[in-house]
Amino acid sequence: MKFDGIIFDFDGVLLESEYAGNAHLAETLTALGHPVTTEESMAHFMGLAGQDFLDAITARIGHPIPAGFADIRAEEDRRAMAEGIDPVAGAIAFVRSLPPGMPRAIASSSSTAWIERHLDHMGIRDVFGAHIFSGREHVTRGKPAPDVYLHAARAIGIDIARAVILEDSPVGVTGAVASGAYVIGLVAGQHCAPGHAERLQALGVQAIARNFDEVARLIG
Amino acid sequence: MDRGQQGDIRTQAICLAKFGRVMRRCRMHQIGKGTAGKAAMEAVRAPAARLRGRPGEQQHQPPPPRDDADSREQRAARRRCQRMMAHDHPRSGRQGSQRPPQTVALAFVGHEPEPGQTEWGEGVAARHRPAYSGAMDEHEAAKAAAARLAGVTDRIAAAAKLARRAGEDVALIAISKTQPVESIRPLIAAGQRRFGENRVQEAEAKWPALRDEFPDLELHLVGSLQSNKAEDAVALFDVIHSVDRPSLVKALGLAMDRAGRRPDCFIQVNIGEEEQKGGCAIADLPALLEQARAADLPVIGLMCVPPADLEPAPWFALLAKLARDHGLPGLSMGMSADLEAGVMLGATQVRVGTALFGARA
């Protein structure tokens, strides 16, 4: 093993939540009378939050946010938490194959409650133990600042320069590269459109992996 | 800052220098070994420049092959690179690593075809350009400048949005060093007001007349400053980004007292601890800052030029940390090739030349 430890982003790396979220968003808008495909949703709304997100929807459908939209979204969040979301292909087998003594952590922008619940659904919570870190809860500055990765590396007792990070989003990659770790841009999730790998390369990832088999080879 | 904190920062700097982003340097080293150095450097720069393309930009050429795994030899090369990092800094500027200039298509509008011409196009425009009036050239130059400016402000806005920042919080400084006034005017016409120069003398020749014409211009000094030019710099510039040593702090303090004019200042940090680069050493920053504040220099932030050919993000993150540790709100970091990383990691000022003016002749 070339690295002393491994740090995972969560949504889009272990959990297909980006794709699931956009599929539901497209369904919702379509049902409310504004036909949108999952692909369009990913192209136009992914990575946005708060007012930017709502503005992008308004601009795309050429109509104010439909009545009932927020309620449907909140209900979907509750359903996702209760029932779970598909893992990224190969993710569960990969984390189960990590050498037993190898330090590992999750460093995510999501809440620890979200991460823990979905790790439970996937049946891999034991793999990470208490090493689940949220950019909202454990540090003052979330991604794209490198702080949550540095915090995770410290917490699992490794030098960030000897760590490998798996990331899928431009914001996460920027922070991961800034931390000084070896960064693999993982484009295994269904949300990764053509050109995504090149975008991550432009932001400085050391390697691209199209699936977890490639990750295993890169860190082997 | 206490000794422990300083130690932490030094450790982080060394760790970043060691592993931050040395693969390119490694490739350079491997290719350069036993071959003509210059040719090897060129061979490496081309893919490096491509890699540094902006996010989302159409990549016309396939990305360079990626190593599937680090072999023992590559790791040895990386260690050799660390030694290079420590002892060998062959180049002084970042031009080598800057993205190739963006091609801006010049629209051909506003004139009737000459007899015998059957189609419009860049080829026609190019063949006949010398015959066109100055007004036509001005019009085209203004359009091209406006397009380049819009391209850069779009890049800033996109990166700021990803980082949940407002694009307006990032000041764009157009670096006009070596650019003649006729290249600067189209950008002013397009609405750009902040400009940066490297040398006092060059700026004195170009800017006083323009400032009379456009009183709202803001002039930044981004190049190294000799103490004997401090008085001229204080008289001409609104912001000085390159305060980096005690003698200069003293000279600027005196010059500001005499002139009764106090341009905002950034302390330039030699973030990669490179021998040939300007900027104060990280370890010397607290003392220099204290001296600058005692001399009444309005220090508003830190500035850096990270090592060429390495991924800039770790250095930007380190500069941001230093600024936070010292309670400084300003961060002058990010240029044409890496402004996205700068903005995402907190830049309040980006210094852009090539992407606004094209490559320097």
Side-chain angles (χ1 to χ4, degrees), chain B residues 107-112 120 136 139:
Chain B
F108 186 72
V109 292
H111 282 247
E112 292 297 319
W120 299 112
M136 180 61 192
H139 178 67

Side-chain angles (χ1 to χ4, degrees), chain A residues 124-211:
Chain A
I124 52 173
R125 176 130 169 222
D126 60 299
V127 175
F128 294 97
H131 298 144
I132 296 164
F133 304 101
S134 163
R136 305 180 203 172
E137 299 164 31
H138 293 90
V139 292
T140 320
R141 285 167 299 275
K143 301 173 189 181
D147 302 26
V148 70
Y149 306 105
L150 296 170
H151 179 86
R154 258 196 310 274
I156 60 176
I158 60 170
D159 177 356
I160 191 72
R162 298 277 308 150
V164 56
I165 297 176
L166 299 190
E167 258 294 353
D168 70 305
S169 76
V171 168
V173 157
T174 299
V177 171
S179 77
Y182 184 95
V183 184
I184 297 175
L186 180 68
V187 294
Q190 294 178 63
H191 62 292
C192 298
H196 195 77
E198 287 72 21
R199 196 170 174 207
L200 300 186
Q201 282 177 323
L203 289 168
V205 298
Q206 277 87 342
I208 289 288
R210 289 173 202 283
N211 52 55

Side-chain angles (χ1 to χ4, degrees), chain B residues 174-347:
Chain B
I175 303 303
S176 50
K177 66 176 179 184
T178 75
Q179 299 292 342
V181 170
E182 53 268 31
S183 302
I184 295 171
R185 280 187 175 277
L187 265 183
I188 299 177
Q192 177 65 22
R193 287 296 180 269
R194 294 188 183 91
F195 289 85
E197 288 284 341
N198 252 31
R199 300 164 68 91
V200 177
Q201 258 173 316
E202 184 186 339
E204 281 174 331
K206 278 152 60 173
W207 288 95
L210 283 169
R211 297 195 88 155
D212 288 344
E213 212 175 321
F214 303 97
D216 56 342
L217 287 174
E218 193 178 286
L219 204 52
H220 297 242
L221 178 65
V222 299
S224 67
L225 175 59
Q226 292 171 305
S227 297
N228 62 9
K229 295 269 182 0
E231 218 156 304
D232 298 333
V234 165
L236 183 62
F237 291 97
D238 301 299
V239 186
I240 298 172
H241 292 242
S242 46
V243 180
D244 65 353
R245 58 193 189 278
S247 59
L248 181 58
V249 166
K250 195 174 164 193
L252 283 171
L254 289 171
M256 288 184 193
D257 289 342
R258 271 200 286 273
R261 186 174 192 277
R262 312 198 91 79
D264 284 340
C265 294
F266 286 82
I267 304 275
Q268 183 178 351
V269 180
N270 185 353
I271 200 79
E273 312 224 302
E274 299 173 278
E275 280 164 26
Q276 86 290 359
K277 279 247 174 90
C280 80
I282 292 170
D284 298 339
L285 177 60
L288 188 65
L289 194 54
E290 195 176 321
Q291 190 200 349
R293 284 169 171 158
D296 261 348
L297 263 56
V299 179
I300 60 167
L302 301 180
M303 180 272 239
C304 78
V305 180
D309 286 333
L310 295 184
E311 209 45 62
W315 313 104
F316 291 161
L318 180 57
L319 192 74
K321 177 174 165 36
L322 290 170
R324 277 200 304 275
D325 289 347
H326 293 286
L328 293 167
L331 279 172
S332 170
M333 59 188 198
M335 309 201 295
S336 291
D338 53 26
L339 67 87
E340 281 85 2
V343 169
M344 288 221 259
L345 292 164

Side-chain angles (χ1 to χ4, degrees), chain A residues 5-165:
Chain A
I6 183 165
I7 301 173
F8 298 82
D9 174 41
F10 190 60
D11 294 87
V13 166
L14 295 178
L15 191 68
E16 280 285 9
S17 40
E18 296 283 7
Y19 186 83
N22 280 288
H24 181 264
L25 177 58
E27 270 172 38
T28 305
L29 290 172
T30 303
L32 291 169
H34 307 282
V36 171
T37 67
T38 304
E39 285 66 32
E40 285 170 339
S41 171
M42 290 192 297
H44 298 286
F45 312 136
M46 198 159 63
L48 300 178
Q51 195 56 45
D52 288 339
F53 174 70
L54 298 175
D55 288 348
I57 291 176
T58 309
R60 187 72 196 162
I61 65 178
H63 189 277
I65 299 294
F69 178 78
D71 292 342
I72 295 175
R73 298 270 300 163
E75 176 54 33
E76 169 61 10
D77 275 355
R78 278 192 292 276
R79 193 203 60 77
M81 283 284 261
E83 298 173 20
I85 293 172
D86 288 341
V88 170
I92 293 176
F94 177 80
V95 300
R96 284 265 172 232
S97 73
L98 290 173
M102 187 187 195
R104 74 288 301 268
I106 289 173
S108 166
S109 298
S110 294
S111 68
T112 47
W114 169 269
I115 300 165
E116 285 168 0
R117 176 62 68 92
H118 286 291
L119 287 175
D120 280 337
H121 284 302
M122 287 192 272
I124 52 173
R125 176 130 169 222
D126 60 299
V127 175
F128 294 97
H131 298 144
I132 296 164
F133 304 101
S134 163
R136 305 180 203 172
E137 299 164 31
H138 293 90
V139 292
T140 320
R141 285 167 299 275
K143 301 173 189 181
D147 302 26
V148 70
Y149 306 105
L150 296 170
H151 179 86
R154 258 196 310 274
I156 60 176
I158 60 170
D159 177 356
I160 191 72
R162 298 277 308 150
V164 56
I165 297 176

Side-chain angles (χ1 to χ4, degrees), chain B residues 122-142:
Chain B
E122 176 61 20
V124 177
R127 279 200 300 281
H128 293 273
R129 190 163 286 136
Y132 292 140
S133 68
M136 180 61 192
D137 287 347
E138 255 176 53
H139 178 67
E140 292 199 356

